[in-house]
C-alpha cells in the first residue's frame, strides 16, 4: 500500500537563511490497520534510528554503497521513501567509511544524532594511516574531520544532536565537544577515556571509584551533577537518556539504570543493550529474540518479546541489525529476509523538554556593520517536534512567521530581518516567540525574547536607526547636532557637524532612496532647500558634505 504522509519539509528563503515553509509529498509505506511498518530491502549493512529518522547503509539500484534515510511517523506506522544521504563506498584515493565485520560481511557503524545528522568514522585517503570522525548533514555535507587519529583507533562513543564523545589516538584520549552551530564553541574536553555518554550539553562519564558517575557541562567544562549508582564496579558502559542513565559492569556483568529524579538505581537485565525513553532493548541470541524491558515508572515492570531475531554470527549486533530511537521513539530491526521492521515500544515517553539551545544575540544589524546580519538560533529537544517562530515589532504587529516540521529534534531558526511580505522590517525593538510541539502530541515548549534590529527600514524623523524621532539643534557656534531620541522621551548620544550659518533650519526626514538611511532636510538662510543623504547615525552633517548637483535658491538639492 502506498500513501503520501508526513510531507518532506524544506526550508527555503532569501540570503542568510530567511525561511518559509514549503512542503513536497514524500511517498511512504504504511501497513493496513495501523500495524507497525515493514520495508523490503536488498540488504542492510548498518543502521541507526534517532528522532524519527532511520539511517541505513545499503546498496543503491546501481549497486553503489550508500547511506540512506527514511522518515518514520511518531506512531511507527508509516515509513517515508528511501532518500540518499551520502556515498559510502571507496573513493579513488582509497578513502572510505570504516566498516566492521557483520553477518552481511562488512557493515558501516552509523550513529544518528536525532536532528537529522549522523556520525561515521572516515578512513582518510590522502593522509594515509589516519582516520577521523565526520558528522554528515542533510544535503551531502559534513562537519568534523579536522581531528585525525591513527587508523583503527577512533570510536564514536555517543552522539546527541550536536554533542558528541569520541575515543581515539595512541595512547587513547577521550574528546567531548559540541560540533559547530551558529556561534562559537567552547574548547573541547580532552581526558583519559572512561565509559561515557552525552545528553543535551552534558557528558555523563564513569568516575574512577566504584559506582560513581559525573555529568560535566561540555560548554562550561564544569561538573553539574554527580550520581552514586550503587554499581558494584567501576562502570564500563553508560547510556544517558533524559531522566535515565543506564550503566553496566560489562555486557555480561551487573547492569542498572540510575533514576535522576529519584536519585537511585534499579537493576535491569545484563547483556548488550540500547536504551530508549523509559525502556531498554537487548538481543537474546540464545533464544533468538529481541527483548524490551520497561522501567518508565522508576522500576522494572515487565520484560517482553518484541520480535524474533535469529542469533546470527556476530556477537554484538547493536546498530548492525537492530537499533533504538532514544528520542521518545521506537525500535527498528532487520529480519533474516532483509526486511526492515519498525516496532513501537508501547512505553510512555517523558514530556517534551528542551535539552540544549544556542540562542542568538539580542541585536542584529542587517547591514552587518554593528552586528550579525541575521538572527540565528537552534533548540534541541528530547523528541521530534514541529515548531513556529513569530516576530512582532514594537507596535505588536506580527512581521514574520517561520515554521518547521520534519527536522527531527531540532528547531533551527534563521531570520534575516525580512517580513512575510519580503521587505525589511523597521528598525527597533522586536519581540520573538518560539513554540515547539511534540510530534507525538505529548506536550509543547514555548520561549521568548527580544531582538534589537538595526540596518533595516528607518522610521520617520529617525537619524539614529532605531525608529525613534530625533531632534536637530543649531548652536551659536554654527554646530548642527543630531540629538538621538530614546524611550521614553529622552535623548542619548549625538553627532555634530560645524560650519552652519545662523538661521539654518533642519528636519530629520525619512529614507526616500534605497540605502535605508533617513535623509536630512535643511532650509538654508537664503531660502535654498537641501536634502542631505542619510548617515544612519554614524556622523554629523556639514554644509559641504558632498557636492550638489544644483544650488539654485528655492530648489531642492541632494547633498
Amino acid at each position: 500500500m502506498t500513501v503520501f504522509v508526513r510531507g518532506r519539509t524544506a526550508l527555503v528563503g532569501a540570503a542568510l537563511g530567511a525561511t518559509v515553509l514549503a512542503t513536497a509529498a514524500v511517498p511512504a509505506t504504511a501497513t493496513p490497520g495501523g500495524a507497525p511498518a515493514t520495508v523490503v530491502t536488498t540488504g542492510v549493512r548498518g543502521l541507526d534510528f534517532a528522532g524519527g529518522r532511520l539511517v541505513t547503509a545499503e546498496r543503491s539500484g546501481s549497486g553503489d554503497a550508500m547511506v540512506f534515510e527514511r522518515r518514520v511517523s511518531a506512531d511507527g506506522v508509516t515509513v517515508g521513501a528511501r532518500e540518499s544521504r551520502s556515498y559510502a563506498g571507496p573513493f579513488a584515493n582509497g578513502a572510505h567509511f570504516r566498516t566492521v565485520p557483520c553477518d552481511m560481511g562488512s557493515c558501516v557503524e552509523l550513529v544518528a544524532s536525532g536532528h537529522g545528522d549522523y556520525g561515521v568514522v572516515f578512513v582518510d585517503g590522502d593522509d594515509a594511516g589516519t582516520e577521523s570522525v565526520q558528522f554528515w548533514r542533510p544535503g551531502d555535507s559534513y562537519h568534523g574531520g579536522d581531528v585525525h587519529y591513527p587508523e583503527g583507533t577512533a570510536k564514536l562513543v555517543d552522539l546527541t544532536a550536536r554533542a558528541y564523545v569520541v575515543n581515539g589516538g595512541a595512547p587513547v584520549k577521550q574528546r567531548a565537544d559540541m560540533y559547530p552551530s551558529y556561534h562559537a564553541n567552547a574548547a573541547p574536553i580532552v581526558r583519559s577515556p572512561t565509559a561515557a555518554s552525552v545528553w543535551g550539553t552534558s557528558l555523563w562519564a564513569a568516575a574512577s571509584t566504584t559506582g560513581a558517575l559525573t555529568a560535566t557541562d561540555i560548554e562550561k567544562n564544569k561538573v553539574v551533577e554527580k550520581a552514586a549508582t550503587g554499581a558494584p564496579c567501576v562502570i564500563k558502559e553508560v547510556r544517558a537518556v533524559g531522566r535515565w542513565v543506564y550503566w553496566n559492569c560489562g555486557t555480561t556483568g551487573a547492569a542498572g539504570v540510575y533514576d535522576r529524579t529519584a536519585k537511585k538505581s534499579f537493576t535491569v537485565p545484563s547483556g548488550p543493550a540500547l536504551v530508549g525513553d523509559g525502556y531498554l532493548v537487548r538481543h537474546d541470541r540464545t533464544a533468538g529474540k529481541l527483548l524490551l524491558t520497561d522501567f518508565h515508572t522508576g522500576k522494572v515492570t515487565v520484560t517482553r518479546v518484541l520480535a524474533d531475531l535469529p542469533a546470527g554470527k556476530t556477537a554484538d549486533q547493536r546498530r548492525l541489525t537492530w537499533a533504538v530511537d532514544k528520542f521518545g521513539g521506537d525500535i527498528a530491526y532487520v529480519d533474516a529476509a532483509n526486511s526492515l521492521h519498525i516496532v513501537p515500544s508501547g512505553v510512555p515517553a517523558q514530556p517534551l523538554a528542551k535539552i540544549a539551545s544556542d540562542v542568538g544575540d539580542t541585536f542584529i544589524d542587517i547591514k552587518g556593520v554593528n552586528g550579525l546580519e541575521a538572527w540565528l538560533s537552534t533548540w534541541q529537544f528530547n523528541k521530534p517536534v514541529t515548531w513556529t517562530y513569530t516576530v512582532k515589532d514594537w507596535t505588536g504587529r506580527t512581521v514574520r512567521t517561520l515554521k518547521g516540521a520534519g527536522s527531527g529534534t531540532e528547531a533551527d531558526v534563521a531570520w534575516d530581518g525580512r517580513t512575510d511580505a519580503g521587505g525589511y522590517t523597521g528598525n527597533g525593538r522586536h519581540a520573538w516567540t518560539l513554540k515547539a510541539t511534540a510530534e507525538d502530541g505529548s506536550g509543547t515548549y514555548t520561549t521568548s525574547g527580544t531582538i534589537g534590529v538595526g540596518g533595516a527600514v528607518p522610521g520617520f524623523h529617525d537619524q539614529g536607526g532605531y525608529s525613534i524621532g530625533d531632534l536637530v539643534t543649531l548652536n551659536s557656534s554654527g554646530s548642527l547636532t543630531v540629538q538621538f531620541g530614546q524611550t521614553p522621551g529622552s535623548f542619548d548620544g549625538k553627532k555634530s557637524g560645524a560650519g552652519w550659518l545662523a538661521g539654518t533650519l533642519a528636519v530629520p526626514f525619512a529614507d526616500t532612496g534605497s540605502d535605508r538611511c533617513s535623509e536630512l532636510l535643511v532650509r538654508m538662510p537664503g531660502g535654498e532647500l537641501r536634502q542631505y543623504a542619510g548617515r544612519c547615525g554614524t556622523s554629523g552633517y556639514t554644509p559641504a558634505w558632498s557636492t550638489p548637483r544644483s544650488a539654485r535658491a528655492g530648489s531642492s538639492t541632494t547633498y
Side-chain angles (χ1 to χ4, degrees):
M1 177 182 178
T2 300
V3 295
F4 290 88
V5 297
R6 289 192 74 202
R8 180 181 180 183
T9 300
L11 293 177
V12 296
L16 293 170
T19 56
V20 295
L21 185 66
T23 304
V26 177
T29 299
T31 52
T38 299
V39 179
V40 176
T41 78
T42 57
V44 175
R45 295 168 170 81
L47 77 162
D48 201 11
F49 193 14
R53 292 172 179 239
L54 179 62
V55 290
T56 57
E58 301 177 53
R59 295 288 180 181
S60 67
S62 60
D64 290 328
M66 301 288 294
V67 174
F68 294 99
E69 175 185 288
R70 296 173 176 88
R71 301 189 187 188
V72 180
S73 62
D75 59 8
V77 172
T78 57
V79 179
R82 191 175 77 168
E83 300 177 28
S84 176
R85 289 293 305 270
S86 64
Y87 177 67
F91 293 89
N93 64 356
H96 60 277
F97 286 1
R98 194 180 71 191
T99 59
V100 296
C102 67
D103 285 16
M104 293 290 292
S106 61
C107 291
V108 179
E109 290 184 297
L110 300 167
V111 183
S113 68
H115 74 312
D117 295 2
Y118 63 88
V120 294
V121 176
F122 184 78
V123 178
D124 299 316
D126 295 331
D127 193 0
T130 67
E131 60 191 16
S132 59
V133 176
Q134 297 177 344
F135 304 100
W136 284 78
R137 306 176 61 191
D140 200 27
S141 63
Y142 66 87
H143 293 292
D146 53 328
V147 179
H148 294 266
Y149 304 95
E151 188 172 349
T153 68
K155 179 177 178 57
L156 178 52
V157 177
D158 199 12
L159 174 64
T160 297
R162 302 180 191 278
Y164 68 88
V165 56
V166 171
N167 291 346
V172 177
K173 291 291 184 181
Q174 188 168 86
R175 182 185 183 94
D177 201 359
M178 308 281 290
Y179 67 79
S181 180
Y182 289 122
H183 308 107
N185 290 343
I189 297 173
V190 180
R191 59 197 294 273
S192 297
T194 66
S197 179
V198 284
W199 183 259
T201 61
S202 292
L203 169 68
W204 280 91
S208 58
T209 54
T210 299
L213 292 172
T214 60
T216 300
D217 188 308
I218 297 172
E219 295 179 322
K220 300 176 182 177
N221 196 4
K222 178 182 179 181
V223 174
V224 292
E225 191 171 345
K226 295 182 179 181
T229 68
C233 64
V234 174
I235 292 170
K236 306 299 183 187
E237 183 177 338
V238 179
R239 296 187 182 276
V241 181
R243 173 182 172 181
W244 317 107
V245 185
Y246 167 86
W247 55 263
N248 72 33
C249 297
T251 55
T252 60
V257 172
Y258 178 75
D259 183 341
R260 295 174 58 200
T261 300
K263 306 296 183 185
K264 64 180 181 180
S265 283
F266 49 87
T267 300
V268 296
S270 61
L274 291 174
V275 180
D277 188 353
Y279 66 93
L280 69 84
V281 177
R282 56 194 173 89
H283 183 197
D284 185 338
R285 296 180 65 225
T286 302
K289 305 290 184 182
L290 203 58
L291 304 176
L292 180 147
T293 299
D294 182 341
F295 55 74
H296 79 276
T297 62
K299 62 181 180 180
V300 172
T301 58
V302 65
T303 293
R304 55 185 167 85
V305 175
L306 279 176
D308 293 328
L309 187 61
K313 300 177 182 178
T314 307
D316 187 351
Q317 298 177 32
R318 289 177 291 183
R319 297 194 174 108
L320 301 180
T321 62
W322 61 279
V324 170
D325 186 347
K326 64 185 178 182
F327 297 97
D330 304 314
I331 301 95
Y333 73 95
V334 186
D335 67 17
N338 289 321
S339 290
L340 275 167
H341 299 265
I342 306 299
V343 183
S345 71
V347 177
Q350 297 170 83
L352 180 66
K354 181 198 77 173
I355 62 173
S357 61
D358 184 11
V359 181
D361 202 353
T362 56
F363 180 80
I364 61 172
D365 183 352
I366 295 170
K367 294 183 176 180
V369 176
N370 297 310
L372 294 177
E373 297 174 353
W375 195 79
L376 310 170
S377 298
T378 62
W379 288 263
Q380 309 295 334
F381 297 94
N382 63 335
K383 59 180 63 183
V385 296
T386 60
W387 55 268
T388 300
Y389 173 79
T390 305
V391 184
K392 295 183 179 183
D393 66 16
W394 57 96
T395 70
R397 179 186 60 177
T398 298
V399 297
R400 192 71 164 118
T401 300
L402 308 176
K403 294 186 177 183
S407 55
T409 59
E410 181 177 59
D412 187 348
V413 177
W415 180 52
D416 64 355
R418 291 189 181 272
T419 68
D420 288 327
Y424 285 108
T425 187
N427 292 327
R429 181 67 60 186
H430 289 63
W432 60 265
T433 300
L434 175 85
K435 182 179 180 180
T437 302
E439 285 189 0
D440 65 6
S442 63
T444 61
Y445 170 88
T446 302
T447 186
S448 59
T450 59
I451 314 169
V453 177
V457 177
F460 289 110
H461 309 300
D462 171 30
Q463 289 284 308
Y466 218 60
S467 294
I468 301 174
D470 299 325
L471 177 69
V472 181
T473 60
L474 177 66
N475 64 19
S476 59
S477 300
S479 181
L480 192 72
T481 300
V482 179
Q483 313 275 356
F484 298 126
Q486 298 294 318
T487 301
S490 60
F491 298 97
D492 183 15
K494 57 187 177 182
K495 293 291 182 180
S496 300
W500 297 91
L501 299 176
T504 298
L505 298 175
V507 177
F509 191 51
D511 177 26
T512 61
S514 59
D515 64 354
R516 303 197 299 277
C517 287
S518 291
E519 286 86 22
L520 184 72
L521 297 182
V522 178
R523 174 72 70 181
M524 303 300 289
E528 177 188 31
L529 178 63
R530 296 182 177 183
Q531 177 180 308
Y532 285 82
R535 303 306 308 275
C536 283
T538 60
S539 67
Y541 295 88
T542 61
W545 180 63
S546 63
T547 303
R549 289 193 296 269
S550 64
R552 186 175 67 255
S555 68
S556 176
T557 304
T558 299
Y559 279 72

